[in-house]
Amino acid sequence: MFKRIALIGFGLIGGSIARGARIQGLASEIVATARSAATRARVAELGIVDRVLESNAEAVAGADLVILCIPVAASGDVAREIAPHLAPGAIVSDVGSVKGSVLRAMAEHLPANVHLIPAHPVAGTENSGPDSGFAELFINRWCILTPPDGADADAVEKLAAFWRGLGANVEIMTADHHDKVLAVTSHLPHLIAYTIVGTAEELEGVTRSEVLKFSAGGFRDFTRIAASDPTMWRDVFLTNKDAVLEMLGEFQEDLSKLTRAIRRGDGEALFDHFSRTRTIRRGIVEIGQDEAAPDFGRKHAALQRPAE
């Protein structure tokens, strides 16, 4: 599908893209780079890309697909750095959880003869680093593309086909709509998780050992979310602050309603609220966006072809 893919940054997402693209035969060559010399050395040791290069400029030279797998706040600077070295007609994309600010920051620097198509694979774990990736990460997960107005339709479809080749479902929407949707489905839950885990750690009269020892399922789920990369999430909240603050305001209103119901002993209001939210959970399972099986080991449709 592509002659050369250049991955700028190599953590969970970059590593999973490299592994999946290699297994599915989506590129003749995969090159990668990372800011840290130690990370570059580890990627070379893993042997999952064809070449590991020291500079971003060197990595993008001759690539027909460039994917920035870096914290969103760095997107503009990296776009400016690689712009003079991009091949005409190359598709330039990313994997960030915020799209509006990324689109604006990158578009300012990229030449008119390349195709900027931001993307967000809605998939991940709490792990990071080059060893954390696995080829099955994107299978039956959504990847949202947010092409700017006037984007080349063929380039958009080619990138969509690439993500489908990795096993993902593809949705296309505007960057602003993406940021509002993800503010409630991803960013706000992470903010709540960070807050709850921090509260438990600071709570007087409860020791750290007790928090660890007696963690119930709900708290364990929060700790998993709160273990995500702090650099990435710092940038997410700062670059999507308007949508996050809007959703946080809605959440605070709902939390106030529940507080009043508990204070007044209004069991009917609590039961009604919990019943409605339970329906949401069942809907997520029914459409295949969660299951008992772990992400690692999920089967790609292309891997289930009968043997020739």
Side-chain angles (χ1 to χ4, degrees):
M1 187 176 296
F2 290 97
K3 292 181 179 179
R4 180 182 299 165
I5 297 175
L7 300 171
I8 309 299
F10 207 91
L12 169 67
I13 301 298
S16 297
I17 292 172
R19 290 169 171 91
R22 170 154 289 183
I23 289 174
Q24 299 303 323
L26 301 178
S28 299
E29 182 184 24
I30 304 173
V31 301
T33 188
R35 183 177 59 180
S36 162
T39 300
R40 294 194 298 270
R42 181 55 183 155
V43 174
E45 289 175 3
L46 290 171
I48 54 179
V49 300
D50 297 290
R51 290 187 294 150
V52 181
L53 303 171
E54 290 192 10
S55 74
N56 295 335
E58 186 181 7
V60 305
D64 46 351
L65 174 60
V66 177
I67 304 179
L68 276 59
C69 308
I70 57 177
V72 291
S75 298
D77 289 341
V78 172
R80 181 175 58 245
E81 177 187 359
I82 66 175
H85 309 281
L86 292 168
I91 295 174
V92 181
S93 190
D94 76 314
V95 296
S97 181
V98 179
K99 298 269 70 84
S101 64
V102 167
L103 179 58
R104 291 186 291 271
M106 294 179 66
E108 179 182 352
H109 303 292
L110 296 182
N113 63 356
V114 303
H115 306 293
L116 172 59
I117 309 171
H120 176 205
V122 188
T125 72
E126 72 272 25
N127 301 313
S128 58
D131 291 277
S132 61
F134 53 97
E136 303 93 335
L137 178 63
F138 309 112
I139 295 174
N140 200 33
R141 299 294 182 250
W142 286 95
C143 182
I144 302 172
L145 306 186
T146 61
D149 292 340
D152 182 83
D154 291 338
V156 173
E157 175 52 35
K158 189 172 184 180
L159 183 61
F162 173 78
W163 280 105
R164 287 193 290 265
L166 293 175
N169 306 309
V170 176
E171 183 85 6
I172 296 176
M173 62 180 67
T174 67
D176 288 343
H177 186 66
H178 165 279
D179 289 351
K180 188 169 184 177
V181 171
L182 270 293
V184 68
T185 62
S186 175
H187 305 167
L188 182 60
H190 275 80
L191 188 64
I192 294 169
Y194 281 120
T195 303
I196 289 177
V197 174
T199 299
E201 182 194 26
E202 299 168 1
L203 194 63
E204 293 184 8
V206 178
T207 67
R208 176 186 286 265
S209 64
E210 288 174 319
V211 169
L212 300 177
K213 183 177 180 179
F214 301 116
S215 291
F219 186 76
R220 286 196 298 271
D221 287 343
F222 278 123
T223 61
R224 177 185 59 78
I225 296 172
S228 300
D229 182 8
T231 299
M232 179 183 76
W233 283 100
R234 176 202 63 195
D235 290 355
V236 165
F237 293 126
L238 292 178
T239 55
N240 196 31
K241 63 180 181 180
D242 291 340
V244 170
L245 289 172
E246 180 183 347
M247 293 304 116
L248 187 58
E250 296 281 349
F251 173 75
Q252 288 172 328
E253 289 184 12
D254 289 340
L255 188 60
S256 295
K257 293 176 184 177
L258 289 177
T259 301
R260 288 194 298 271
I262 294 171
R263 183 178 293 117
R264 296 170 181 173
D266 190 347
E268 183 176 348
L270 294 173
F271 183 84
D272 178 66
H273 183 83
F274 299 155
S275 296
R276 288 188 289 110
T277 56
R278 189 182 189 187
T279 302
I280 295 292
R281 169 61 186 173
R282 288 175 173 172
I284 290 173
V285 174
E286 287 172 2
I287 65 173
Q289 287 305 295
D290 201 4
E291 54 189 274
D295 284 352
F296 182 81
R298 282 182 287 122
K299 297 299 183 183
H300 191 299
L303 300 180
Q304 300 182 52
R305 293 191 296 260
E308 296 180 358

